[in-house]
Amino acid sequence: MKYSLLLSLFICISFISLSSIAQNIDAQQAYDSAQHLRSKAVKKWGKDHATKSDIADGIAILKSALEFLQNNHINELGEGNIYLAARKEDVSIDIAKAYAIDGQNDSSICYLEKMYEGGGVTNMYFQLIQQDSAFINLQSNPRFIKLGDKFKKQEDLYRGTAFKTPYKQELTDDEKIGGLTLLWSQAKYNFVYFDRLNIDWNQSYLDYLPRIRAARTTAEYYRVLQTFYAQLKDGHTNVYLPKELNSEFNARPPLRTELIQGKVFVKSVFSDSLRKEGIVPGMEILKIDSEPVLSYAEKYVAPYLSGSTRQDLDIREFSYFLLSGSAYKPVSLELKDRNGKVFTMLISKTGYRDIKAEAAIEYQTIGNVGYLTINNFEDWKIVKQFDSLFTSIIQTKGLIIDIRNNGGGNSGIGIQILRRITDIPFTTSPAKMLKYISRPGWEVYWYNDPSEIIEPDEKRYYSKPVVLLVGARTFSAAEDFAATFKFMKRGKMIGQLTGGSTGEPVGFDLPGGGSARVCGKRETYPDGKEFVGIGIIPDIIISPSAEDLQNATDSVKNKALELINSAN
């Protein structure tokens, strides 16, 4: 183990000074030391048929660990490392559990109460404690019940349902103002990018109050809320309409459009029936509902969108939401085909029975080069699918991983893929979040979520050249994947700048059935360099062109094939 000398010293903990050790270690060493003591203790109190002597020995070790974690220096280290900070609560719970198993109920509850006073545990965590069989004899204890009530009240303040009122066509003024206030306060206390904005958030709240009161319908109200959050210019900070309004605002035909060199083109068509009507990739969209496409987008789409980069906003404005609208009103498109012919078509937004959805993961070989497309990181089955393909992938002379259309999901899924294409440990992105101390004159400060060192997969290792394809739709967890890949220096990255937005959003409900989220986690490259608000810059930048689209050519993929073939 990395800190084996230090940990061996802890084994002899009764013969040395904890405080002297604590003064000379860093956060990772402190974390490892505490975890070592917890592991040593559980072998005592947690084993089958543990005797009272075993449990007492385990509790003694845990109390030594808690003493160590409460040292002033270790406490200071914990202020910048959430994993180390959480060890105090974990050790306290271990002690409480050991006491409960030993039948010392009062001592068990005492440690749970201390844990509550420490403020590091949520009601959700306490509910898990309540369900733990080790605490079954405490369920009817008045002190234990009272402690549960305290946790519940704490949760109700931050996650209560008072703002979660049902949908109706018109909201009361109190509901409307309450929703705006909730948006304002959640951003004020959680949003991590105010330093990038030239905005007085408190003044903006006051400025929006008249607009909120003037909104007659719930639909109008939510559109105002969307423009309010659009000021924060972040892709993970959004207001979502109530589901009852989806058919009015969010219906769109099975097309993917894109802004290319100042013009808007049909990029993909996901319905054969639309293709039969003459809608094919490469067509230019000139007008929407008789309005020039660029002015239409600026007037009816852009005001409600939030994004941290121009490339992300372009994707939202000219791809995801350009053709969104009422399910009951077809959209009129003036189109120009590759031969210059201009014509108008009325296209329905709904009613298609032949929509072809993109698979989460697809694989093929191109001349003994593996071509793996991963369109999202939303399901852990993706890792199993990758592993099922591994016997084929490992036989290739090179691998292309295409995440150009990957909008994210769970970053842990991407990490598992990366573990299989390296034989050395690699570092993930660190992050930081905001923390407040409620004392006069104190300001917010940063709470660090440090990088992790990830070990390679012991069973699978792809050693051949790897090229990663990225684009403006590469977003969120897919950007975490790209950032780590880039820092690993595992291979070349080709394409466009990524969306430039990742992080962990804080979600909450709004009056009238809608919801919102605000970005509460600020992530960087493993070395601390920023990419949110910029995008991850490929080694080779290839911008899309109308010619490629019209000729069904993929210059990005072709360049990747060229690189791999030239390396062999």
Side-chain angles (χ1 to χ4, degrees):
M1 189 174 182
K2 185 176 181 182
Y3 307 118
S4 57
L5 176 60
L6 177 69
L7 297 177
S8 65
L9 290 173
F10 271 95
I11 295 174
C12 303
I13 205 165
S14 60
F15 301 102
I16 58 179
S17 169
L18 274 170
S19 59
S20 64
I21 292 176
Q23 299 307 312
N24 298 294
I25 60 178
D26 62 24
Q28 185 62 51
Q29 291 171 323
Y31 172 89
D32 288 344
S33 300
Q35 288 296 85
H36 174 77
L37 288 171
R38 289 185 68 204
S39 177
K40 184 177 174 63
V42 78
K43 289 177 182 178
K44 293 281 189 178
W45 68 264
K47 66 183 181 182
D48 291 338
H49 310 297
T51 65
K52 281 187 171 293
S53 178
D54 290 330
I55 295 173
D57 288 344
I59 290 173
I61 295 171
L62 289 169
K63 286 183 176 179
S64 296
L66 192 58
E67 178 188 346
F68 166 70
L69 290 167
Q70 289 170 339
N71 175 276
N72 288 338
H73 176 61
I74 303 302
N75 264 323
E76 290 175 4
L77 293 175
E79 290 296 330
N81 186 305
I82 61 173
Y83 301 112
L84 174 58
R87 297 290 75 76
K88 280 189 289 187
E89 283 71 38
D90 288 341
V91 171
S92 293
I93 291 171
D94 286 349
I95 295 173
K97 187 179 292 189
Y99 272 130
I101 290 172
D102 197 39
Q104 300 186 56
N105 293 348
D106 286 343
S107 295
S108 177
I109 294 174
C110 180
Y111 271 88
L112 293 175
E113 289 171 339
K114 288 179 180 179
M115 182 185 67
Y116 172 80
E117 297 300 330
V121 176
T122 64
N123 184 50
M124 185 180 298
Y125 200 171
F126 189 74
Q127 286 178 322
L128 295 176
I129 293 172
Q130 291 173 311
Q131 296 165 15
D132 193 318
S133 60
F135 296 102
I136 191 167
N137 293 328
L138 302 184
Q139 300 298 323
S140 60
N141 187 296
R143 285 174 62 192
F144 190 75
I145 294 171
K146 184 177 180 180
L147 186 59
D149 290 340
K150 287 183 178 181
F151 274 106
K152 181 65 167 58
K153 289 175 182 177
Q154 181 175 281
E155 181 185 49
D156 286 345
L157 178 60
Y158 294 97
R159 295 185 178 276
T161 59
F163 287 99
K164 189 180 180 181
T165 62
Y167 174 79
K168 51 188 174 184
Q169 288 188 339
E170 296 181 15
L171 299 177
T172 66
D173 282 351
D174 288 345
E175 286 177 301
K176 291 187 288 186
I177 293 171
L180 179 69
T181 304
L182 183 59
L183 287 172
W184 165 78
S185 63
Q186 287 283 3
K188 180 176 181 177
Y189 293 106
N190 291 306
F191 186 60
V192 291
Y193 292 112
F194 273 118
D195 59 311
R196 295 182 175 179
L197 303 174
N198 184 23
I199 184 174
D200 183 333
W201 189 236
N202 296 330
Q203 184 60 51
S204 181
Y205 168 76
L206 295 175
D207 293 342
Y208 262 78
L209 284 170
R211 296 181 60 181
I212 286 296
R213 292 191 185 97
R216 295 169 300 168
T217 65
T218 300
E220 290 179 10
Y221 169 68
Y222 269 88
R223 294 308 250 178
V224 175
L225 294 185
Q226 286 179 326
T227 64
F228 181 63
Y229 255 25
Q231 298 175 102
L232 297 179
K233 302 182 186 302
D234 178 73
H236 282 75
T237 302
N238 318 93
V239 173
Y240 299 105
L241 302 174
K243 65 180 185 298
E244 290 83 357
L245 294 176
N246 281 338
S247 61
E248 184 177 346
F249 292 99
N250 292 333
R252 55 188 175 189
L255 298 175
R256 178 175 291 164
T257 55
E258 187 166 345
L259 181 70
I260 300 175
Q261 298 169 333
K263 298 179 179 180
V264 180
F265 293 88
V266 175
K267 183 172 184 179
S268 305
V269 180
F270 301 110
S271 163
D272 286 340
S273 58
L274 261 184
R275 284 179 174 270
K276 290 176 182 178
E277 290 180 24
I279 307 297
V280 296
M283 287 183 166
E284 183 182 355
I285 300 176
L286 303 176
K287 294 181 180 179
I288 299 176
D289 291 339
S290 301
E291 175 118 13
V293 63
L294 297 183
S295 62
Y296 177 92
E298 188 66 22
K299 186 184 301 183
Y300 298 111
V301 184
Y304 311 108
L305 305 179
S306 184
S308 62
T309 64
R310 184 64 259 172
Q311 64 267 23
D312 182 31
L313 285 169
D314 283 347
I315 289 296
R316 293 170 187 270
E317 184 175 350
F318 295 101
S319 183
Y320 295 149
F321 297 103
L322 182 66
L323 301 182
S324 294
S326 172
Y328 313 107
K329 180 183 176 184
V331 60
S332 174
L333 299 182
E334 184 177 294
L335 301 158
K336 183 168 71 172
D337 66 19
R338 61 181 302 170
N339 298 316
K341 179 183 177 182
V342 176
F343 59 99
T344 300
M345 285 192 65
L346 201 62
I347 299 175
S348 175
K349 299 189 186 77
T350 60
Y352 299 93
R353 299 180 180 274
D354 57 355
I355 296 176
K356 298 178 180 179
E358 290 181 319
I361 184 170
E362 299 175 297
Y363 179 73
Q364 61 177 301
T365 55
I366 306 172
N368 202 30
V369 175
Y371 182 60
L372 177 72
T373 301
I374 308 176
N375 288 318
N376 64 65
F377 286 132
E378 295 176 0
D379 194 323
W380 280 97
K381 292 179 182 178
I382 291 169
V383 178
K384 292 183 178 180
Q385 289 176 281
F386 179 87
D387 289 345
S388 70
L389 295 167
F390 196 77
T391 53
S392 298
I393 292 173
I394 202 168
Q395 297 176 32
T396 62
K397 64 181 180 180
L399 176 65
I400 300 169
I401 302 177
D402 188 345
I403 57 170
R404 285 177 289 178
N405 293 319
N406 190 320
N410 189 324
S411 298
I413 295 171
I415 287 174
Q416 292 304 314
I417 304 296
L418 293 171
R419 289 183 66 224
R420 288 149 172 77
I421 61 171
T422 185
D423 62 343
I424 58 175
F426 58 92
T427 306
T428 62
S429 293
K432 54 185 182 180
M433 295 154 283
L434 296 171
K435 187 172 182 179
Y436 286 83
I437 296 179
S438 55
R439 290 172 62 183
W442 285 61
E443 296 181 0
V444 64
Y445 67 96
W446 290 108
Y447 197 88
N448 293 321
D449 185 357
S451 300
E452 290 186 77
I453 305 298
I454 305 297
E455 297 293 330
D457 188 280
E458 295 180 354
K459 298 179 180 178
R460 307 167 188 84
Y461 167 45
Y462 185 80
S463 62
K464 316 290 179 53
V466 178
V467 176
L468 183 66
L469 311 188
V470 297
R473 286 190 183 86
T474 306
F475 188 78
S476 194
E479 287 188 279
D480 294 335
F481 182 93
T484 304
F485 180 89
K486 186 179 183 76
F487 197 76
M488 290 167 65
K489 299 182 179 179
R490 180 59 180 88
K492 294 291 185 182
M493 191 182 304
I494 306 176
Q496 299 170 269
L497 271 70
T498 63
S501 180
T502 191
E504 190 170 317
V506 178
F508 50 96
D509 295 310
L510 292 170
S515 63
R517 65 179 190 172
V518 61
C519 187
K521 190 176 183 182
R522 186 166 182 159
E523 296 189 35
T524 66
Y525 286 110
D527 62 359
K529 184 180 177 182
E530 299 271 7
F531 66 85
V532 174
I534 301 166
I536 296 168
I537 304 172
D539 300 294
I540 301 172
I541 297 177
I542 299 178
S543 299
S545 69
E547 292 76 17
D548 277 357
L549 195 56
Q550 290 167 344
N551 296 323
T553 301
D554 191 337
S555 294
V556 177
K557 182 171 73 174
N558 290 343
K559 184 63 178 179
L561 289 167
E562 178 188 321
L563 285 179
I564 290 177
N565 287 322
S566 65
N568 288 272

